[in-house]
């Protein structure tokens, strides 16, 4: 059962938990008189007046709405700047739509590194550690947050050595050169694999562009909008056998507010 | 000292599909069953926020915690096995319902050929067709004998489908009609028909309509929500043990589920099990659950681990090919496919369901002539529409850079202009592919990890290329402007997701020399121990495994009830 206290914020004093049966009947989820179970059954129904949760996307009316999620949990400012510049090269703004920066990707990565993923907490990190074959996968002892610290520092070192400038001050083409040198392992690092770090940077960029905005990226669902992805929808029963059509996206926050 | 609990009739180790079916059938027959599951409780209400690709598909919310237990892997005996530290090739289930919570629901029957693969291959092509080291064997049971149990599993789960024109005989139609056909499915269907192939709607546990099963359990129709594979179903539409067999077992009042219970040994004396020893992971306490019958349903890896740790059954020795526990590990060859890019067509691939697709078996089993081919068996070829979620699906035509401006432009352009036709390739066992205990790495309880020794063989490389070419034929007919396909099947890598269709290790058969269990999953070496799951498959077919796991579980339940009355070996 979802714990009402966990929804946080100050707007949930009026949480009301209707009987599951009542809700399912109202929602029409009954099969021949038998109630069919579903997550819908336990939804916390909010008072209509409190439907919009705090921190809702700026553009949506409330001029005073501020995004308090845009602060740092892990990176220092220099790291944030390098990540911002690098991810924007990996996923640049163009005619189709925003790039990594505008989508909030650097904040997404920062927040991820501060949590479970950054600590590799659900992965096997026990010794002994041996270098293996490529097919055996990651065998290092370092956690993702440590790899990021090292990787970013080495990008900076490489930029200084090669161009006598910091990564963020390089021309875009030079930044691409640096990234390519990491991608191809042309840069040799002792503690981590340069290409392994690049891969992680690339995949977390895409995660930040397209994950639910709740994680700090995909700002205002503009990543989804760019590729006509509808996000979280309750049902496609009516469109599954129809030709492609654009559906306005919806987020998990919309889902929470609506129920 | 471990504390000993009151005795029960039956203890079930692991509560997924296999354990759930056993629990439901045995409690209905009046037996008392204790289910020990090492993960946590699960219920449909947990999936309120389930449409979250990052959390469920990429951070593996519902899967086994690898920090506590994983496997080690090496391509061959000369290589040092190293732990699978992060997820890749397959995703292990944990918690009530096991992997049945986050499966797709593609529910096939194997072909009659599968059950007599050795006999039938030799009959048609001669002994020389089976290469050195390939240890295929008949299953000790025929398709016809297993058919009634397939029917039971399909009625339990309410499979939506239409008969496979090239499949085995059926005693009844699928309980519900096929799923809806999307434009992409129709395109594949028409192209395949033009090529004189035999497409049919993929048998689906997602439910095309509301359904009440023979146990009286009702589920609503699938909403094509596209968060299915790797996700739990927030509607309870997808057949999963938690919404089907477990409530039936619990309603009898004879089923007790204990979660957070990690079983570590099967206790036995004089060739018979006396119960199991497990650790309560919330307290660290060691407990003994005595039972008359022990049923092991903890998936391929843990089934093998428990038997080896308990000294039950003869461990497999790859050098001589003798012994049975760990023998005939097999997998699935999934890389034989073709990707198509369309310039002026967009598809609603953001929508979908775990088992929405069209399949054909013209190149599966022995449905085609292998005389001039350097492999046996084949693959089911499908176009499936499981929902192209945006983080994991950024296909770009071959030659496109993998990041930067060109990548971004193409990935956005083709996001809805991409279709893929793929083969689910069968996997044959070899003498040097096996499971045993790792000498170095340990789980959270200090027990060894299971060690997997496996690689692709010439059989797999030939099969994958052949299947990829057939997929490309169909994709061409579908009118794709650009087609990318497999160039060659490289080595097996544990880093890339292929499928959670691991098989073998405790295989069934007619002889104790080449099998660990008989066709009721009863151990040759311990008559009151039953080991159920894909671990019993002597090889893996060109399909997903769970239809066959379910059928074998029903047959085992029947066997256990018989055993309870009469005792002794059932075969
Ligand atoms: C993403 C995904 C998609 C899939 N899609 C399909 C599909 O479309 N069609 C298909 O046929 N198959 C599919 N599968 C495979 C399918 O999920 C499995 O074949 C099936 O669920 C196996 O059931 P099982 O009961 O044998 O094992 P599991 O479901 O793995 O259950 C075993 C249980 O045992 C527990 N356990 C393990 N060790 C211990 C221990 N020592 N003590 C106590 N408990 C223990 C585990 O926690 C687990 O809950 C898919 C799998 C995945 C991961
Ligand atoms: S696609 Fe259908 S069966 Fe799968 S999770 Fe969504 S509603 Fe459930």
């Amino acid at each position: 059962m979802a714990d009402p206290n966990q929804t946080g914020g100050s707007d949930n004093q009026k949480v009301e938990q209707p009987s599951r049966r009542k809700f399912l009947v109202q929602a029409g989820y009954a099969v021949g008189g038998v109630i069919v179970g579903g997550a819908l059954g336990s939804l916390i129904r909010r008072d209509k007046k409190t439907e919009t949760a705090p921190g809702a996307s700026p553009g949506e009316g409330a001029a005073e709405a501020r995004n308090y999620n845009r602060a740092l949990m892990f990176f220092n400012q220099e790291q944030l700047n390098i990540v911002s510049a690098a991810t924007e090269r990996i996923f640049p703004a163009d005619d189709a739509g925003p790039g990594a920066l505008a989508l909030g990707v650097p904040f997404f990565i920062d927040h991820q590194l501060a949590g479970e993923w950054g600590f590799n907490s659900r992965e096997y990190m026990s010794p002994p550690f041996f270098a293996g074959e490529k097919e055996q996968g990651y065998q290092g002892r370092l956690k993702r947050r440590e790899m990021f610290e090292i990787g970013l520092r080495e990008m900076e070192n490489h930029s200084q050595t090669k161009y006598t400038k910091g990564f963020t001050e390089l021309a875009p083409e030079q930044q691409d050169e640096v990234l390519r040198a990491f991608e191809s392992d042309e840069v040799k690092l002792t503690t981590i694999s340069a290409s392994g770090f690049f891969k992680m940077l690339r995949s977390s960029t895409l995660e930040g562009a397209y994950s639910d905005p709740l994680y700090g990226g995909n700002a205002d669902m503009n990543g989804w909008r760019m590729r006509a992805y509808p996000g979280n929808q309750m049902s496609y029963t009516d469109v599954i056998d129809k030709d492609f059509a654009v559906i306005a996206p919806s987020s998990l926050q919309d889902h929470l507010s609506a129920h | 000292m471990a504390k000993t609990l009151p005795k029960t009739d039956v203890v079930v180790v692991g509560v997924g599909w296999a354990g759930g079916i056993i629990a439901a059938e045995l409690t209905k027959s009046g037996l008392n069953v204790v289910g020990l599951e090492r993960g946590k409780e699960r219920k449909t209400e947990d999936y309120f926020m389930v449409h979250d690709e990052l959390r469920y598909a990429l951070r593996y919310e519902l899967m086994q915690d690898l920090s506590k237990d994983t496997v080690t892997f090496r391509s061959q005996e000369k290589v040092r096995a190293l732990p699978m530290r992060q997820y890749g090739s397959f995703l292990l289930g944990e918690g009530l319902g096991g992997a049945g919570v986050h499966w797709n629901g593609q529910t096939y029957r194997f072909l009659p050929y599968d059950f007599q693969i050795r006999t039938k291959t030799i009959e048609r092509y001669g002994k020389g067709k089976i290469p050195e080291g390939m240890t295929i064997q008949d299953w000790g049971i025929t398709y016809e004998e297993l058919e009634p149990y397939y029917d039971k599993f399909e009625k339990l789960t309410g499979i939506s489908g239409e008969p496979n024109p090239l499949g085995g005989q059926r005693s009844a139609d699928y309980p519900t009609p096929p799923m809806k056909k999307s434009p992409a499915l129709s395109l594949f269907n028409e192209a395949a028909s033009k090529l004189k192939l035999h497409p049919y709607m993929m048998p689906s546990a997602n439910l095309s309509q509301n359904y009440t099963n023979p146990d009286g359990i009702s589920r609503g129709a699938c909403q094509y929500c596209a968060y299915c594979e790797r996700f739990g179903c927030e509607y309870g539409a997808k057949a999963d043990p938690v919404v089907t067999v477990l409530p039936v077992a619990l309603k009898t009042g004879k089923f007790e589920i204990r979660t957070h219970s990690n079983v570590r040994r099967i206790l036995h004396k004089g060739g018979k099990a006396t119960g199991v020893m497990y650790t309560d992971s919330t307290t660290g306490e060691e407990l003994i659950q005595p039972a008359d019958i022990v049923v092991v349903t903890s998936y391929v890896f843990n089934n093998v681990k428990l038997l080896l740790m308990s000294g039950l059954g003869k461990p497999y020795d790859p050098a001589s090919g003798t012994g049975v526990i760990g023998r005939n590990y097999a997998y699935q060859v999934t890389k034989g496919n073709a990707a198509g890019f369309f310039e002026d067509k967009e598809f609603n691939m953001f929508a979908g369901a775990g088992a929405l697709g069209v399949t054909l078996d013209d190149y599966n089993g022995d449905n085609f002539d292998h005389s001039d081919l350097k492999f046996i068996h084949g693959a089911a070829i499908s176009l499936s529409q499981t929902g192209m979620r945006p983080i994991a699906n950024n296909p770009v035509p071959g030659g496109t850079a993998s990041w930067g401006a060109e990548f971004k432009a193409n990935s956005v352009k083709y996001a809805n202009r991409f279709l893929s036709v793929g083969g689910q390739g069968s996997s044959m066992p070899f003498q040097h592919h096996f499971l045993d205990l790792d000498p170095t790495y340990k789980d959270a309880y200090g027990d060894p990890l299971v060690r997997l020794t496996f690689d692709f063989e010439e059989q797999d490389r030939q099969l994958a290329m052949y299947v990829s070419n057939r997929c490309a034929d169909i994709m061409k007919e579908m009118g794709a402007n650009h087609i990318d396909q497999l160039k060659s099947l490289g080595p097996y890598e544990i880093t890339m997701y292929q499928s959670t269709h691991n098989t073998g290790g405790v295989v069934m058969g007619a002889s104790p020399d080449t099998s660990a269990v008989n066709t009721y999953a009863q151990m040759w070496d311990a008559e009151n121990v039953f080991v159920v799951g894909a671990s019993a498959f002597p090889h893996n077919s060109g399909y997903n495994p769970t239809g066959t796991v379910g059928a074998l579980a029903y047959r085992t339940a029947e066997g256990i009830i018989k055993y309870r009355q009469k005792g002794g070996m059932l075969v």
Side-chain angles (χ1 to χ4, degrees), chain A residues 20 39 122 124 128 215 234, chain B residues 45 52 63 234-235 441-442:
Chain A
R20 184 151 152 217
R122 293 180 70 236
Y124 192 81
Y215 295 100
M234 293 305 284
Chain B
E45 289 81 354
D52 183 339
M63 284 82 180
E234 67 177 319
Y235 299 95
Y441 293 96
K442 305 270 188 277

Side-chain angles (χ1 to χ4, degrees), chain A residues 15-92:
Chain A
V15 168
E16 167 210 352
Q17 206 132 7
S19 89
R20 184 151 152 217
R21 188 181 171 87
K22 189 169 115 208
F23 185 86
L24 286 173
V25 172
Q26 284 165 352
Y29 277 89
V31 182
V34 189
I35 301 305
V36 174
L40 284 173
S42 71
L43 300 188
I44 301 154
R45 301 196 82 205
R46 284 158 177 276
D47 186 319
K48 284 284 172 210
K49 276 172 283 180
T50 63
E51 257 196 12
T52 317
S57 43
E60 276 177 24
E64 77 280 13
R66 286 173 58 185
N67 189 345
Y68 292 100
N69 184 273
R70 294 284 172 104
L72 296 174
M73 303 176 187
F74 175 70
F75 289 143
N76 63 27
Q77 202 165 13
E78 186 196 3
Q79 289 166 331
L80 176 73
N81 291 340
I82 299 173
V83 167
S84 300
T87 55
E88 182 68 14
R89 291 312 299 158
I90 289 172
F91 201 73

